[in-house]
Every structure is written in C-alpha cells, then in structure tokens.
Amino acid sequence: MLTKASLKNLLITLMLLANLSAKAVENYPYRSDYLWVTVPNHADWLYKTGEQATVEVQFYKYGIPRNGIVEYGIAGDLMADDTTGKAELKNGRCTIKMGTARKPCFRDLRLRLKLDGTTYEHHVKVGFSPEQIRPYTQQPKDFRLFWDEALKEAAKYPLKYIKEPCPEYTTDKTDCYLIKLELNRQHQSLYGYLMIPKQAKPGSCPVVLTPPGAGVKRIKDPGSREYYQEKGVIRFITEIHGMDPRMPESVFEDIRAAFDGRVKGYLYQGIDNRDHYYMKHVYTGLVRCIDLLTSLPEWDGRNVITQGGSQGGALALIAAALDERVNLCVANHPALSDMAAAAEEGRTHGYPHFSKAEGFLTEAHLQTLPYYDVVCFAPYIKAKTYMTWGFNDNTCPPTTSYAVWNLLSCEKESLVTPVNEHWTSEATNRQQLDWILANLKK
C-alpha cells in the first residue's frame, strides 16, 4: 500500500516524465513553472459507496509553496458542480472534504486559484465502488444478428489492396509498405502502414492491428514504436476514412473544415439509420484488415492482436468481438462507450459526448447508437484483454471505461493509472508489448 508521501512523490515523478503537449486543459502542462499536488486519503483513489473522501491539496510555483484562496467545485464525472466552496492554502497546503456517494460513480474535485494575475486550474477524480458501475446502454435483441449479416455481406467482396514500398519509414529493422485496402462494393477504403520486421521468415510473426484515435488526420508517427518489429511483430497502423496519408496537411485541414470543423463530425453522419451510419463500414473493415494480416506469408498462423487508444481502443475491442481470430486485445481508455447515457439525467456519457442539449439524442439516434457502442460488443469478446485507463480523463471518462471493463467476461488484466488524463506514458505503451509477448500462443 502506498503511503501518502510515496504517492505524492509518484505523482510528481509522473508529471516530470510524461511528455505532454502544452495545453491549458491538462493538469500538468509541459515545462510548467507551477505544480498542483492532490493526494486523496485513500492511496488508490477508490472508496466504497458511503465512505468519506478527503483530498489534501498542495500548490507550488517555482517549487515554492504559495498561499492563497482556492475556489473549488465538486461534481459527478463530466457533470456540472453540485457543491462549491473555498479553502485557504497555508504554506501551500489545504484539505478539502469531497464527501461521499450513494451510488457507484466518480466524483470530480475542480480547483481554481488566482495568483499573481493568473488563474491556475486543476482537478482530481475519485471513484466510489466503480466495480459496480453498469452502463445505461442496453444491447438490442437483434444485435448479434445485425452484425453477423453485416459481416456476411462484407465478406462477399474479395480481399483487394494496393501495396507500395514506403522508403521514408523503412529502416534497418523494418520494411514499411503503404497499403490501400478496399472494403466493399461501394469502393470505400482505408489506408495503413504495414510494418514488417526486416528479413522476417515465413510463419514467424504475430500480427497487430492498430486502428486510429478519433479525427480526420494523417496517420501519426507510424515508425515511432519500432520495438514491435525489433521483437518480431508485424503491425498494421491504419486510418479509417480512405484518405492517403501522403496528402498535404492543407488538404486534411480542408476536409476537417468540411466536417464542420469538429473532430467528431463523421460520427454524426448517417446516424438516423443503423444501416447507413458512417461507422458501419469502419467496423466491418476491421475484419477485412485482419483478413489482410492473416494472408501474409510471415504471419505465424496463431496470433492476431488488436491494440489502440481512445477511438482506437474502442475499435480494438470491437474487432476482438467481431472476429474470433483475435486472441489478444489491448485497449487504452476506449471511446464510443455508453454514448447515449446523457439521455438519462445525471448519467456520464462517453466520447463523442452526444447530448440532449444539442438536440442530438433523438429517438432515431437512440435506436442506432447501441448497435455501435462498445458496451454492447464487450460481452462477446473471447480474446484475452488488457485494458488501461486513468481517472482524470475528461475525454473518455473513467465511468465509461469501468462500464466496459465490468462487462468483459473474457480473461482480462488491467493497469489503472489514476493520475492519467487522456494519455498514456511511453513506459505504459512499451509495457503493452511486453504483455503481448508474454501472452502469445506458442
């Protein structure tokens, strides 16, 4: 069990090591000259319903403890504040009582300090019996039939793709190819970088499918995790929109603007009807990606792994549910989870955060969403699954990660990292490969 002092040191170390971009919404902006430290009185940040949560708050600027008045709000996960107050920092410290919760949930303590003409903000979430969290979204009676029929229809189209050498990502350890994979008779496609260990022998390599996080954007850093190829693993790193990643960034900007400038714009398209929703061909396309990977002569014939974060984490889980060839699944803070939960007052809903306030949760949309929600796929996953998520995540909140985790009936392991927002450290990313290698079929 971590002591309060050791937990504080751990938080500081994580903050210093994490290579975060400088965004005001983050708890720990990169190269910041100030530091918040929040230490719940339970070292794992978890409580049983009915237990009282208390948080020690510390604030430092230039490493020096500062005094001042902290204004705070307390709320449910992604909810508006239901409690507000003030606390005085003395020698940089104060203690705030967060109270308790009657039902399984997360509570968020939001902090604000005005100092030297600048306002500093921070937040910390704690959980109350999260192992009992259940989703709002319920599986439709014909859910499995719907997807069996969709996959049957998609399978009628033969495996067709274009494979081009990609010298900019080819190294002494990796042969890289750019793939354009056709998905269906409507000529929808996706692109991906196929990363194969140099001089891989036939029948020697596990294969990993890595679908992308949300957005209309180029494939991010396909050569950044070469340690997969160093360990003899093939990776296929994809996008989902059929957009050539070699296009200029200005073209991506124009296309994003065509989606109303919203990252989640495509997630609105066709949602009036479950058969016309944008993500239908994406989900069936995951199986077509696995068809490609298992057709490679270098595939070992045994191991198919899906791996991703956020939207990619959702797609990794969905692929594992749709395709029994997947024997290992790795997912970080999955998006697309309990998406319609905002239809019930006081419910925490997952990315892309459809809401009643936008007038979006219409009856037609509420009928479509469950067919595409991770919580409905989770019970069908047979692959051994490794999930990781943080508590301070406001993009894919911990409530929805637990909603998925609690429904998994497969063999499963987790790495819960309370301090994390919507990111994982490079050490965690490397640890995922270690887990994959330790769990391969021999």
Side-chain angles (χ1 to χ4, degrees):
M1 181 69 71
L2 290 172
T3 65
K4 185 182 293 185
S6 63
L7 183 61
K8 180 182 77 174
N9 291 336
L10 175 61
L11 296 180
I12 294 172
T13 301
L14 284 171
M15 182 278 296
L16 293 173
L17 292 178
N19 184 20
L20 303 177
S21 60
K23 297 180 181 178
V25 297
E26 291 176 339
N27 270 346
Y28 300 114
Y30 181 52
R31 294 187 177 180
S32 170
D33 57 12
Y34 70 93
L35 173 66
W36 291 92
V37 178
T38 47
V39 185
N41 62 322
H42 282 196
D44 59 3
W45 303 22
L46 294 176
Y47 302 79
K48 297 296 182 184
T49 52
E51 290 185 323
Q52 298 289 323
T54 300
V55 177
E56 181 186 61
V57 176
Q58 303 170 35
F59 182 86
Y60 302 87
K61 189 170 183 181
Y62 310 125
I64 301 168
R66 299 295 299 271
N67 297 333
I69 301 299
V70 175
E71 298 177 351
Y72 65 85
I74 304 172
D77 200 1
L78 300 189
M79 300 290 130
D81 292 346
D82 52 57
T83 302
T84 59
K86 296 180 180 181
E88 184 179 2
L89 289 169
K90 295 181 178 180
N91 195 28
R93 296 175 182 244
C94 65
T95 299
I96 297 174
K97 294 180 179 180
M98 287 187 66
T100 189
R102 299 177 186 176
K103 297 179 180 179
C105 68
F106 275 80
R107 298 282 287 166
D108 192 1
L109 173 62
R110 299 156 182 169
L111 307 167
R112 183 182 294 106
L113 173 65
K114 294 181 180 179
L115 186 70
D116 302 332
T118 301
T119 299
Y120 300 93
E121 296 183 342
H122 191 78
H123 80 119
V124 57
K125 298 183 191 179
V126 301
F128 293 87
S129 300
E131 72 282 356
Q132 298 177 24
I133 289 173
R134 293 294 180 269
Y136 165 85
T137 303
Q138 299 299 305
Q139 187 181 116
K141 292 181 179 179
D142 64 345
F143 177 82
R144 192 73 219 195
L145 176 62
F146 173 77
W147 283 109
D148 286 345
E149 291 296 324
L151 292 174
K152 188 184 301 182
E153 182 63 28
K156 293 178 182 178
Y157 192 73
L159 178 62
K160 297 173 68 174
Y161 61 92
I162 298 171
K163 177 181 177 183
E164 300 180 42
C166 190
E168 60 266 39
Y169 295 116
T170 293
T171 70
D172 60 344
K173 299 181 180 68
T174 303
D175 287 322
C176 178
Y177 302 90
L178 180 63
I179 302 291
K180 181 182 181 182
L181 176 61
E182 295 186 23
L183 301 180
N184 52 41
R185 299 184 191 282
Q186 289 73 45
H187 304 292
Q188 291 168 309
S189 62
L190 62 76
Y191 283 83
Y193 288 103
L194 183 63
M195 318 293 285
I196 301 178
K198 205 83 168 180
Q199 300 177 341
K201 296 179 180 180
S204 66
C205 297
V207 292
V208 175
L209 170 62
T210 302
V216 179
K217 58 192 177 184
R218 64 177 69 250
I219 298 171
K220 183 180 179 182
D221 299 329
S224 63
R225 297 182 188 174
E226 198 169 33
Y227 45 79
Y228 276 80
Q229 292 82 256
E230 290 176 359
K231 294 296 185 179
V233 177
I234 293 171
R235 285 183 84 210
F236 187 38
I237 309 157
T238 77
E239 56 85 54
I240 61 171
H241 305 296
M243 295 175 58
D244 191 328
R246 297 169 297 188
M247 294 190 305
E249 181 58 31
S250 60
V251 176
F252 283 91
E253 291 174 356
D254 288 343
I255 294 172
R256 282 194 291 270
F259 283 113
D260 298 326
R262 296 177 296 194
V263 167
K264 62 186 180 183
Y266 59 91
L267 290 168
Y268 286 87
Q269 292 195 9
I271 203 166
D272 289 323
N273 186 302
R274 66 181 187 174
D275 291 306
H276 300 155
Y277 188 37
Y278 185 90
M279 296 301 284
K280 185 178 182 182
H281 80 276
V282 174
Y283 287 14
T284 57
L286 298 169
V287 175
R288 184 45 48 95
C289 289
I290 295 170
D291 291 339
L292 185 156
L293 287 169
T294 57
S295 74
L296 299 174
E298 297 89 352
W299 178 47
D300 67 9
R302 298 180 300 277
N303 292 286
V304 177
I305 302 101
T306 56
Q307 177 268 328
S310 193
Q311 177 185 265
L315 296 178
L317 291 162
I318 289 164
L322 290 175
D323 196 326
E324 291 189 1
R325 289 174 292 182
V326 178
N327 61 295
L328 297 174
C329 176
V330 176
N332 304 326
H333 42 253
L336 313 181
S337 301
D338 215 10
M339 293 182 283
E344 182 177 299
E345 200 68 34
R347 278 275 195 172
T348 301
H349 53 295
Y351 185 89
H353 305 301
F354 301 130
S355 74
K356 289 188 295 185
E358 294 178 302
F360 186 81
L361 293 180
T362 65
E363 187 61 34
H365 297 168
L366 289 171
Q367 289 179 7
T368 297
L369 282 173
Y371 290 94
Y372 294 89
D373 201 295
V374 177
V375 300
C376 295
F377 286 93
Y380 292 101
I381 296 173
K382 296 180 180 179
K384 187 172 183 179
T385 298
Y386 182 88
M387 262 184 66
T388 183
W389 64 94
F391 291 177
N392 287 338
D393 194 337
N394 279 338
T395 303
C396 297
T399 300
T400 59
S401 287
Y402 272 100
V404 173
W405 174 256
N406 293 340
L407 290 176
L408 293 174
S409 58
C410 57
E411 190 175 354
K412 60 185 181 179
E413 297 179 27
S414 66
L415 173 64
V416 181
T417 55
V419 74
N420 282 36
E421 297 165 89
H422 198 59
W423 52 268
T424 54
S425 70
E426 186 54 37
T428 294
N429 296 336
R430 184 59 186 260
Q431 186 174 328
Q432 292 175 353
L433 174 60
D434 295 339
W435 182 87
I436 290 169
L437 296 174
N439 287 280
L440 293 174
K441 289 182 182 177
K442 304 301 183 184

